[in-house]
Amino acid sequence: MAHRPTRRFRKAVLGSGAVLVLAGLNAPAALSFAHDQYHAYKIAQPGYQARYGSWQQVDIPEKYRTNAIHAALLHTGKVLIVAGSGNSQKHFDAGTFDTVLWDPAVNTFKKIATPVDFFCGGHAQLPDGRLLVAGGTARYEVLDGEVTRAGGGMRVKNENPEKALFLKKGTVFRSPAGVAYRSLFDVTVPRAGRGFDVTYFEDGGMKPWRTKVTAAEQRVFVEAVEPGPDSVTTESAQYEIEGLTGKDADNSYGLAERITMRKQDFQGIRAAYEFDALAEKYIRVDPMRKARWYPTLVGLGDGRVLAVSGLDDVGEILAGDTEIYDQRTGKWSKGPFRYFPTYPALFLTQGGKLFYPGANAGYGPADKGRAAGLWDLRKNTFKAVGGLTDYDATETAASLMLPPVQDQKVMILGGGGVGESKVSTARTAIVDLKEKTPVFRSGPDLPQGTRYLNSVIMPDDTVFTSGGSSDYRGRGDSNVLKAQTYHPKTGGFTAAAAPTVGRNYHSEALLLPDGRVATFGSDPLYADRANTRLGTFEQRMEVFTPAVLHRARGDRPVIGAGPGQVARGETVTYAVTGGGRVRTARLMRPSAVTHSTDVEQRSIALELRRSGRKISVTVPEDSTLVPPGWYMLFVTDADGVPSVAKWVEVG
């Protein structure tokens, strides 16, 4: 007969076994907890922070947490955080558009009424300190396999020279065969142009022959009234506009473009607004001529702003139409025709040309508009610049004009393959635009292949970089929790304290007036390493305090009395106290950043003379080095410790 253990013995054995099993299962967690506790202790030590800096999460009341798609520093010292619909179809459908104004000096927040969906628009600083915001979202994408009604562009013609034609959203266009399409947006078609055809005689005389009318045209996206493939068309036809009578019916019609069941991309808007930093509200200005989604807005030397690229009102990348905004008139005018992928990084160089390092944020074919080069706006010529390695991995790269701007060097950092590619690169490269034949030369590698890297120019002429991911939108838990500082003088990186919040797609970083760096956003595709759960937008904000500020222990230069306005070429004097002996002075243009693209930030070296507790600085005369607008004036002492910025308006 087999022996059976007593109930007490079985209980004892099971109990001790459970303890052993639980101990085995919890060992990794216990070790991880201990490691995290030690790491938290280590990074909080003064010696560590004096060497690597530190990070601190911002306390944000729940009602002010938002999906930071865009971030811009205003001359009031506050940061405008623009979400629009925040990459949320639900918010878009509900018309819930969000903007939050953050004051980092006192950590207060304010909701700003947002008139249109600025999600994935463009922005640039204006001469008077307002921020131009233009473009955004008219419609969210519909993916392949989810399109139930054929859609495409309808060109609406108006041959009436007497008045414009306004058609409300939902207007029906019907083909000769009876197929009906409904417009998804309001559209206004200007009145037709009118002139004269003339007959010329041998004696030089002439007489009018007949009145000539040139039809005006606008395009609107339409969708088939009936679902299914029967409404697909690739043939040209003239479409009757239902609901029109009399002259309106006689003089107006539609011409369909390609109408298909294929994926329908995001569509842009033409709206443009100036954000008034003092009144803290959006002010409507004339809309752009072209609808734009994912455009770049870049300031020019005369204070005007150039709008480039983007997806248009039917979701197609613009063929090369650009336009220029003049704040003095509040109007847009036609710019030079030049194709770029969406969100191209374009930097104003000395003399007025724009340099394109190849960095962009994506839409567009892999073999078009990707090459780096110098664009002469006046002649509309483009001179390619070679030497870039991993030239096919410039999408979602970071780029900037290295400080100071007088050196005319541009750096590109990291990047990835086109679209949803898994490719990423650790490559950095630098081009010296002062060379007779500029060419990229390799810089130091990043710690690993990185897309969506954030790069910020610092007051001491270094570049702080952080975050990013090694795969598309952080797939496979690929966020890069690392930070480093690039030193232009030595050409190398040094390590910085690691952030605790991952940042990939839809993330931003910018320099604050107190010398710290604020980071925002991140829009991961998935929430787990196995890519089985959809990600959620990262609404936490984190601020980096550089090591030099920890070493300063509160003893830093202070800029005192002095002018708040200065002209180019002018020498002005400021009182300076505290810190060590002042060595450098910089004018730093505030950022306007989105999608790894920040073409606004630049650092201008000022000629500096010291006299006791005063300094005199001279602003360069060249407006292509110092475009008109508001700047942060920083001084830095012999130990590299910067002052808190003084805001200065350069006219």
Side-chain angles (χ1 to χ4, degrees), residues 227-251:
D230 290 344
S231 299
V232 169
T233 181
T234 57
E235 297 179 0
S236 297
Q238 186 165 311
Y239 286 69
E240 175 189 354
I241 303 174
E242 291 190 356
L244 298 184
T245 59
K247 286 187 176 181
D248 287 341
D250 294 339
N251 291 309

Side-chain angles (χ1 to χ4, degrees), residues 37-50:
Q37 289 291 96
Y38 173 71
H39 180 70
Y41 166 79
K42 182 178 74 172
I43 65 176
Q45 299 310 299
Y48 181 93
Q49 295 180 345

Side-chain angles (χ1 to χ4, degrees), residues 290-308:
K290 296 289 183 179
R292 298 180 189 271
W293 186 86
Y294 262 51
T296 290
L297 270 60
V298 55
L300 305 177
D302 58 6
R304 296 182 301 160
V305 174
L306 175 71
V308 176

Side-chain angles (χ1 to χ4, degrees), residues 209-432:
W209 175 44
R210 63 178 179 179
T211 301
K212 180 181 179 181
V213 173
T214 304
E217 175 183 300
Q218 284 289 352
R219 187 167 59 171
V220 66
F221 191 83
V222 297
E223 188 177 73
V225 172
E226 298 296 329
D230 290 344
S231 299
V232 169
T233 181
T234 57
E235 297 179 0
S236 297
Q238 186 165 311
Y239 286 69
E240 175 189 354
I241 303 174
E242 291 190 356
L244 298 184
T245 59
K247 286 187 176 181
D248 287 341
D250 294 339
N251 291 309
S252 307
Y253 54 92
L255 291 176
E257 297 177 343
R258 184 178 53 190
I259 297 179
T260 74
M261 296 286 291
R262 291 189 298 186
K263 174 189 175 185
Q264 297 167 1
D265 269 314
F266 281 94
Q267 294 162 19
I269 59 176
R270 298 169 59 234
Y273 286 76
E274 293 181 2
F275 184 80
D276 188 324
L278 299 178
E280 298 183 345
K281 66 179 182 180
Y282 289 105
I283 298 172
R284 185 178 180 181
V285 296
D286 271 10
M288 296 182 290
R289 297 182 171 198
K290 296 289 183 179
R292 298 180 189 271
W293 186 86
Y294 262 51
T296 290
L297 270 60
V298 55
L300 305 177
D302 58 6
R304 296 182 301 160
V305 174
L306 175 71
V308 176
S309 193
L311 300 188
D312 64 12
D313 47 4
V314 298
E316 296 178 355
I317 189 167
L318 288 162
D321 301 88
T322 74
E323 50 196 303
I324 298 174
Y325 179 73
D326 190 336
Q327 189 182 30
R328 295 170 297 184
T329 63
K331 303 289 185 182
W332 295 85
S333 60
K334 189 175 181 180
F337 193 85
R338 180 69 52 182
Y339 173 89
F340 291 97
T342 55
Y343 278 134
L346 295 168
F347 297 101
L348 178 66
T349 69
Q350 190 167 15
K353 297 177 182 177
L354 296 180
F355 181 71
Y356 171 55
N360 62 84
Y363 284 80
D367 58 352
K368 185 178 180 182
R370 304 277 173 170
L374 269 168
W375 181 21
D376 187 326
L377 298 179
R378 292 180 184 145
K379 298 178 182 177
N380 195 21
T381 57
F382 188 86
K383 186 176 182 180
V385 170
L388 187 64
T389 59
D390 291 353
Y391 62 88
D392 56 348
T394 58
E395 192 166 295
T396 64
S399 56
L400 70 156
M401 294 201 77
L402 286 173
V405 70
Q406 286 94 331
D407 288 350
Q408 292 290 282
K409 293 180 179 179
V410 176
M411 186 176 193
I412 183 171
L413 306 95
V418 172
E420 298 186 18
S421 166
K422 292 182 66 66
V423 172
S424 63
T425 178
R427 176 264 298 120
T428 74
I430 300 165
V431 59
D432 185 347

Side-chain angles (χ1 to χ4, degrees), residues 428-562:
T428 74
I430 300 165
V431 59
D432 185 347
L433 299 177
K434 286 187 173 181
E435 292 181 350
K436 184 175 181 180
T437 305
V439 62
F440 275 104
R441 292 179 172 82
S442 295
D445 280 352
L446 296 165
Q448 66 191 86
T450 310
R451 318 167 60 121
Y452 316 107
L453 187 73
N454 284 303
S455 58
V456 178
I457 301 171
M458 305 300 287
D460 63 354
D461 288 351
T462 60
V463 178
F464 177 72
T465 70
S466 67
S469 65
S470 59
D471 197 353
Y472 174 77
R473 288 186 63 179
R475 268 185 317 211
D477 192 23
S478 60
N479 281 343
V480 179
L481 290 172
K482 295 178 182 178
Q484 48 278 320
T485 297
Y486 175 70
H487 302 264
K489 288 184 179 178
T490 63
F493 283 109
T494 56
T500 62
V501 179
R503 308 285 181 193
N504 53 69
Y505 182 55
H506 287 151
S507 67
E508 304 84 37
L510 53 76
L511 178 68
L512 298 174
D514 62 7
R516 298 180 300 159
V517 174
T519 62
F520 318 81
S522 190
D523 197 358
L525 194 58
Y526 297 105
D528 63 333
R529 182 169 295 181
N531 300 329
T532 60
R533 291 184 292 114
L534 290 178
T536 56
F537 203 103
E538 177 58 73
Q539 295 187 334
R540 289 175 293 174
M541 291 164 48
E542 201 170 21
V543 174
F544 175 73
T545 300
V548 69
L549 293 183
H550 286 287
R551 294 196 297 270
R553 298 179 181 177
D555 185 22
R556 55 192 298 192
V558 176
I559 304 175

Side-chain angles (χ1 to χ4, degrees), residues 184-201:
L184 298 191
F185 310 102
D186 293 344
V187 62
T188 299
V189 190
R191 63 186 182 181
R194 181 158 53 185
F196 295 98
D197 281 338
V198 295
T199 300
Y200 293 90
F201 300 103

